[in-house]
Amino acid sequence: MHLPESSHVIYKRNPLIRVACQLRFPPILKISHQEPVEFQDEIRFKYPLFEATRQPFSVEVHQAIQQAMPQVGLPTLSEVWYSFHSEDKKWQILVTKEFITLMSSAYDRYELFIQRFREVVEIFERIYQPSFYTRVGLQYQNLIIRSQLGLKDKKWADLITNQIASELYNPELEPLVQSMQKSLLLQTDICQVTFNQALVMVTEAEAGNSEPAYLLDADFYTEEKLARDENVWNILSQFNKSAWKLFRWSITETLHNALQPQLIDKTEE
């Protein structure tokens, strides 16, 4: 799959609800059998909230996630899971014996996000010395809520392109669609992409009103063996560029403009 080129912008009305980056490696048993005292001591000023658990999800939720998104690679229910949160809980580091992940609900720029991850990974590598990486992934979750963008009167076909949601362009079918969920496994020039889309119901916290929203969830990854070197970060940079192309290819000019695009200053890249 070749994604068309598009000028990279940032959105003033950012639709991202979560971004995650994960590095997987062969099991390091020390992580399961010893609390990460040294690691926590080096990151605790940015991530002061710590939690260790052996069952972050219920059995039912764990199974549902694995069935819907097997690429996520959750630890088994008996496996220890270390979580380090920023004070505002908008940034989270997850560590198990097989992966390290950074998740954020406050993503602004890729350069800032990946720098935070690099800082943590450099500490992790120095302490635990993973042999190599078996999977490198970068995931973006965008949620389009029409009322927040002044688009309540627009149909989804005005906002989401025909390439990814042809159902919404059928005049007989579109009025009948109450919910939708689809998952595509795509092959790009540089990686594989698990691209999930769904029409979901969201509820406004204060007013309690519910409305449909469109979820675009793209996980870019490679499962090639990678050494612990600069190539890992080069690959993630390519994933970031491809993620932008896929998102822009998925939305119409109407939605693009409603998100209030701003050109990126090339001197900042």
Side-chain angles (χ1 to χ4, degrees):
M1 178 182 183
H2 178 73
L3 296 168
E5 295 292 333
S6 180
S7 297
H8 203 157
V9 301
I10 56 175
Y11 290 120
K12 187 174 181 179
R13 291 170 160 177
N14 191 351
L16 282 166
I17 57 172
R18 194 189 77 151
V19 178
C21 189
Q22 183 184 87
L23 304 179
R24 295 185 67 87
F25 41 80
I28 301 174
L29 297 182
K30 182 169 71 171
I31 295 175
S32 296
H33 292 81
Q34 298 177 14
E35 289 192 334
V37 176
E38 185 179 355
F39 180 72
Q40 191 258 356
D41 196 50
E42 294 208 34
I43 69 169
R44 61 187 172 87
F45 292 102
K46 277 192 175 180
Y47 307 94
L49 306 180
F50 171 76
E51 182 180 7
T53 180
R54 290 189 179 274
Q55 191 166 320
F57 305 107
S58 69
V59 174
E60 293 79 9
V61 171
H62 189 280
Q63 291 175 343
I65 293 174
Q66 286 293 69
Q67 290 173 4
M69 295 184 291
Q71 76 280 3
V72 169
L74 295 178
T76 62
L77 292 178
S78 61
E79 188 175 318
V80 67
W81 172 300
Y82 297 115
S83 176
F84 309 84
H85 285 270
S86 61
E87 188 173 358
D88 60 10
K89 294 190 175 183
K90 293 181 179 180
W91 296 84
Q92 182 182 15
I93 300 291
L94 293 174
V95 174
T96 76
K97 69 178 182 181
E98 294 181 305
F99 66 74
I100 180 170
T101 301
L102 172 65
M103 295 192 297
S104 177
S105 61
Y107 181 98
D108 181 32
R109 291 285 300 274
Y110 172 76
E111 295 79 9
L112 301 177
F113 174 86
I114 210 65
Q115 181 58 38
R116 288 186 71 136
F117 194 38
R118 286 193 73 149
E119 291 171 357
V120 172
V121 168
E122 286 172 3
I123 295 169
F124 182 86
E125 289 181 341
R126 174 162 45 81
I127 295 171
Y128 293 107
Q129 299 182 9
S131 305
F132 49 83
Y133 293 116
T134 59
R135 186 184 189 277
V136 173
L138 182 63
Q139 181 184 30
Y140 288 89
Q141 293 181 330
N142 288 275
L143 189 64
I144 309 302
I145 303 174
R146 290 178 293 190
S147 64
Q148 294 182 0
L149 302 172
L151 299 172
K152 290 191 71 172
D153 60 333
K154 297 294 184 180
K155 296 181 179 181
W156 286 116
D158 297 323
L159 309 177
I160 307 299
T161 61
N162 183 43
Q163 294 99 306
I164 68 165
S166 58
E167 303 90 343
L168 303 177
Y169 284 75
N170 185 313
E172 296 180 356
L173 180 61
E174 188 274 335
L176 306 178
V177 176
Q178 298 298 304
S179 66
M180 183 177 72
Q181 183 174 354
K182 64 169 72 175
S183 182
L184 303 174
L185 180 60
L186 308 175
Q187 180 70 54
T188 73
D189 299 336
I190 59 171
C191 66
Q192 288 185 298
V193 187
T194 300
F195 189 26
N196 295 311
Q197 306 166 53
L199 268 176
V200 298
M201 294 301 295
V202 296
T203 302
E204 189 177 343
E206 296 182 1
N209 299 323
S210 296
E211 68 171 290
Y214 204 95
L215 176 68
L216 295 165
D217 179 350
D219 180 24
F220 293 75
Y221 65 94
T222 177
E223 294 180 332
E224 294 183 5
K225 176 182 174 181
L226 294 172
R228 295 189 289 119
D229 57 25
E230 191 65 25
N231 189 41
V232 169
W233 308 105
N234 292 336
I235 288 172
L236 286 169
S237 179
Q238 292 176 31
F239 289 177
N240 166 253
K241 293 173 183 176
S242 293
W244 159 251
K245 293 177 186 178
L246 179 60
F247 180 75
R248 185 63 188 89
W249 182 70
S250 301
I251 66 171
T252 65
E253 197 69 18
T254 298
L255 178 53
H256 174 69
N257 291 330
L259 293 171
Q260 298 182 3
Q262 300 174 323
L263 289 176
I264 295 175
D265 186 345
K266 295 296 182 180
T267 62
E268 297 180 12
E269 291 189 319

